[in-house]
Amino acid sequence: KTGSLNYLGETLLGNKGSLTRKLLRFLPPVAGVSAFFNNTPIVAMLIPVIRHWAKKHNVSVSKFLIPLSYATILGGTCTLIGTSTNLVVHGLMLQNGLPGFSFFEISKVGISITIFGLAALALLGHRLLPERKEPIIEMGEQTREFVVTLKVEPNYQYVEKSVEQAGLRHLKGLFLFQIERNGQLINPVSPDQEIKAHDRLFFTGLPETIVDLQKTPGLSLLKDTFFDIKNLDSDTVTTFEVVISSNSPLIGKNVRESNFRSRYNAVIMAIHRSGERIKQKIGDIVLHAGDTLLILAKHDFMKQWYHTSDFYLVSRSVDVTSKPRWYSFFSMGVLTAMIVLMATNILPVVVAVCLAALILVFSRCITATEARNSIDWKVLLIIASAFGIAKGLDNSGVAHYLANLIILSLGNFGILGLLTAIYVMTNLYTEIITNNAAAAIVVPIALAVAKQTPLIINERALLITVAVAASASFATPIGYQTNLMVYGPGGYKFRDFIKIGIPMNIFIGMVAITAIWFFYL
C-alpha cells in the first residue's frame, strides 16, 4: 500500500539490456523480498508493475510473469516465514514433540535452489515461454486524450540528455509533442532533442499514464501546499474527470484566473478537448463548455459537486494508490525490526508479527479495514484442515503403511533413494492439490520413514525435503496460488506451465536433494 515495491519495476527492469539481463536484475531482489513476505501479496503487487512496464516498453508480459511467480516460490523456501508451507511443517513438528525449524534453518537448501533456479530461468527458461503482448489502447482514441504540461526541475536526472536517453520517446499511451524553452516552442520534438532545466514538456496521453508520469522525480506539475502528487495519500485524495457545462462560471476564463483550486478545493492535472490538441500551458488554457478536466481532489468531491450546474458529468478516474514517501521507509523499517526480533529469538514469531501489524495499523500505513481484508481466510482454513488430515493419516496407520512401501521399494538405494521418494511423492501431491495439504499429508509418512530407518536417515532432513518439495510447484497453474494469479494476466495456456514447469520441477528436485544430502547427511 505504501508503494515500497513499486520502484522495483522501473529500477530493476529498466529499458536497456537483453531479456536475460533484465531477468537477472529483477528476479533475485523479488526472491529476496519473498523470503520475508508472503508470496501472494508480492505477486499481487508486482503484476500491475510488470504489466505497466511491459506496456510502456512494448515488450511481452508473458516473458516475465511466470518467472515472477517462480522467483517468489523459490524465495519463499529460504526462511521460516517465506511461505505458509514452511509454517505448516514447523507446526506439525511441534505437534509431534520435535523442535521446530529455526528462522534460517531451511536457508542453506532454500538459497541453493533459489540461486540455481533463478539462473536457469534467466539463461534458458524464458526461451520456453510464449511471446504474447497485451492489447494496448492506441493514442488515436480521441475521447481519452488529455494534455498535460510538466516543468523540468534542475534536479531531473536527464537534464542535458536527449529525449531518447530520458526514455520519453516511445512511451505507451503517452506522447511528447512539444517543448517550450524561453518562450520559444519546439515542435515537433526529435529523439535527439536535449532536455534543459526549466523546459516545459507538453504531453498528450491517457489518464493512468499522466498520473504515473507526474510522480517522476524532477518533473513537476505545480507547487501546491496540499496536493503534492509525489507524496499523495490515496486515503485522502484521488482523481476525477469532470466535463464543463454550458452554464459553468469557468467558461471563458483561463485556468489561472478561474480560481479552480480555491473554488473546488481541487487541482487541474490535465485537459481534454475533443478533436483538438491544446498547445498552451495548463494555466493559460481558456476553458470551453465540453472540456474534460482530469483533476485531483478529496474523496468527497463527487458528493459535493455531482448535482451542480458547473459540470455536466463528474466521475472517478484512475485509482491512485499511494502514500507519502516516508511511509515506504517506515514500513520497511517495521519489517526489518520484525525479522531481527524473530531471527534472534527475542520474541516468538506470532508475537513479533502481531506487533508489526499493530504498528502499521496505528501509524496509518494501512487502515484497520484494509488489514482485516488482507487476511486470506481460505488459506487459514486449508492450513487448519491440513493438520486434521495429517493426524488422520497417522492415527489410521496409512502413514506407516506407505512408509513401509517406500522403504521396501527404494531402501536399497540408501539415503538418496529415500530422499527422492519423499520429494517426488510430495511434489506430485502439490501439483494436484494445494502445497499446504501436500505437506500435511507427507509429514506423517516422512516421520514414519525416519522412525523405521533411524540409522540411515534423520527426520529433520526428511522434513526439510517435504517443506521444499511442497513449495516447488512449477508444472501446473493450480498447484500454487501465485501460478494461478499470473495465469490470466500473462495470457498463458495450461501447456505453457507444463512446457517450462516439468523441466523446472526435475531440475530443482535434483538440486534440492543434492543440497539436503550435502548439508544434513
Side-chain angles (χ1 to χ4, degrees):
K1 183 71 189 289
T2 61
S4 300
L5 297 182
N6 290 348
Y7 306 107
L8 279 177
E10 198 63 46
T11 304
L12 298 177
L13 288 166
N15 58 4
K16 294 180 181 178
S18 64
L19 184 56
T20 294
R21 286 190 174 188
K22 287 184 175 71
L23 288 171
L24 284 174
R25 284 198 302 264
F26 182 67
L27 297 181
V30 169
V33 171
S34 182
F36 304 102
F37 274 108
N38 188 5
N39 300 349
T40 310
I42 293 176
V43 173
M45 284 185 276
L46 290 180
I47 284 174
V49 172
I50 291 176
R51 290 176 73 177
H52 171 77
W53 177 86
K55 186 187 292 186
K56 182 177 176 181
H57 296 282
N58 197 26
V59 297
S60 175
V61 71
S62 59
K63 291 287 187 182
F64 291 90
L65 290 186
I66 279 181
L68 167 66
S69 176
Y70 288 2
T72 59
I73 289 171
L74 291 167
T77 63
C78 293
T79 68
L80 173 61
I81 63 166
T83 173
S84 56
T85 310
N86 295 348
L87 290 168
V88 167
V89 176
H90 170 78
L92 289 169
M93 291 167 72
L94 295 175
Q95 200 176 72
N96 283 275
L98 299 170
F101 291 138
S102 64
F103 193 81
F104 291 112
E105 183 173 351
I106 202 169
S107 300
K108 290 179 283 190
V109 177
I111 292 172
S112 299
I113 67 170
T114 300
I115 290 170
F116 281 97
L118 296 185
L121 278 173
L123 297 173
L124 298 170
H126 67 84
R127 303 178 198 278
L128 300 174
L129 292 171
E131 187 159 345
R132 300 192 185 106
K133 294 179 182 177
E134 288 191 292
I136 296 171
I137 301 171
E138 296 298 330
M139 285 305 301
E141 190 184 352
Q142 293 294 317
T143 56
R144 301 293 293 166
E145 185 177 308
F146 285 82
V147 171
V148 63
T149 310
L150 297 178
K151 184 180 178 182
V152 178
E153 302 289 352
N155 65 333
Y156 183 51
Q157 63 175 320
Y158 295 108
V159 169
E160 305 297 335
K161 301 285 180 66
S162 70
V163 168
E164 186 81 48
Q165 289 172 314
L168 300 177
R169 183 63 182 169
H170 301 293
L171 299 170
K172 287 298 169 185
L174 203 63
F175 176 62
L176 175 62
F177 68 89
Q178 179 175 279
I179 296 176
E180 180 188 318
R181 181 177 299 153
N182 300 324
Q184 301 295 313
L185 295 180
I186 302 171
N187 184 359
V189 180
S190 65
D192 56 357
Q193 176 66 53
E194 282 193 357
I195 298 171
K196 306 285 188 183
H198 309 298
D199 280 355
R200 291 188 181 273
L201 309 181
F202 289 72
F203 292 90
T204 179
L206 309 176
E208 55 266 36
T209 58
I210 287 172
V211 173
D212 189 61
L213 180 69
Q214 291 175 76
K215 294 182 181 178
T216 306
L219 296 182
S220 65
L221 172 72
L222 69 159
K223 300 294 182 185
D224 193 281
T225 55
F226 181 76
F227 295 105
D228 178 3
I229 197 165
K230 291 179 175 58
N231 287 289
L232 278 183
D233 187 343
S234 52
D235 289 339
T236 305
V237 295
T238 189
T239 54
F240 295 90
E241 290 177 38
V242 299
V243 180
I244 296 176
S245 72
S246 56
N247 299 319
S248 176
L250 298 170
I251 294 174
K253 298 178 181 177
N254 66 33
V255 171
R256 190 178 296 106
E257 296 168 344
S258 68
N259 294 320
F260 196 92
R261 167 71 175 87
S262 56
R263 182 191 294 261
Y264 301 104
N265 199 22
V267 168
I268 299 174
M269 298 169 65
I271 298 178
H272 161 71
R273 182 170 293 162
S274 182
E276 183 181 343
R277 179 170 290 168
I278 308 168
K279 297 187 177 182
Q280 297 167 281
K281 291 182 288 189
I282 292 288
D284 295 336
I285 295 172
V286 177
L287 298 171
H288 296 175
D291 284 353
T292 303
L293 312 180
L294 179 65
I295 66 170
L296 195 64
K298 290 188 175 182
H299 284 275
D300 61 357
F301 179 87
M302 182 181 288
K303 188 186 295 183
Q304 289 183 357
W305 299 101
Y306 188 79
H307 297 290
T308 181
S309 60
D310 291 13
F311 307 112
Y312 283 133
L313 178 69
V314 179
S315 64
R316 280 186 177 272
S317 187
V318 293
D319 287 328
V320 181
T321 302
S322 63
K323 287 279 186 180
R325 181 68 62 87
W326 75 267
Y327 274 109
S328 297
F329 301 118
F330 178 77
S331 62
M332 292 305 294
V334 172
L335 173 70
T336 303
M338 182 191 79
I339 292 165
V340 170
L341 290 172
M342 288 191 293
T344 55
N345 291 320
I346 294 173
L347 289 176
V349 171
V350 174
V351 177
V353 172
C354 288
L355 183 62
L358 286 170
I359 290 170
L360 292 176
V361 171
F362 284 119
S363 65
R364 299 180 62 82
C365 276
I366 54 172
T367 65
T369 302
E370 288 165 342
R372 194 164 54 247
N373 291 341
S374 72
I375 299 171
D376 195 331
W377 298 105
K378 290 179 182 177
V379 171
L380 293 182
L381 182 61
I382 289 169
I383 291 173
S385 303
F387 281 90
I389 293 168
K391 193 67 177 174
L393 288 169
D394 194 30
N395 290 346
S396 64
V398 171
H400 291 277
Y401 171 76
L402 291 173
N404 283 326
L405 205 61
I406 289 169
I407 292 165
L408 289 172
S409 304
L410 297 166
N412 292 334
F413 293 97
I415 293 172
L416 289 177
L418 295 175
L419 281 178
T420 302
I422 293 296
Y423 189 96
V424 171
M425 177 185 281
T426 311
N427 208 231
L428 286 174
Y429 276 135
T430 203
E431 295 294 359
I432 300 167
I433 55 177
T434 68
N435 49 325
N436 292 322
I441 288 170
V442 184
V443 162
I445 300 169
L447 288 172
V449 168
K451 284 177 184 175
Q452 294 179 48
T453 56
L455 300 177
I456 299 175
I457 196 164
N458 71 60
E459 55 204 7
R460 273 191 118 62
L462 285 177
L463 292 172
I464 287 173
T465 303
V466 172
V468 172
S471 291
S473 174
F474 306 111
T476 69
I478 61 174
Y480 205 97
Q481 273 185 312
T482 57
N483 288 348
L484 197 57
M485 289 171 70
V486 301
Y487 186 76
Y492 297 115
K493 295 179 170 59
F494 202 94
R495 65 173 180 268
D496 295 327
F497 279 87
I498 294 173
K499 190 176 178 182
I500 186 174
I502 290 177
M504 275 292 288
N505 272 6
I506 294 169
F507 177 66
I508 293 300
M510 292 169 63
V511 174
I513 290 167
T514 303
I516 291 165
W517 174 80
F518 180 80
F519 288 119
Y520 294 94
L521 300 167

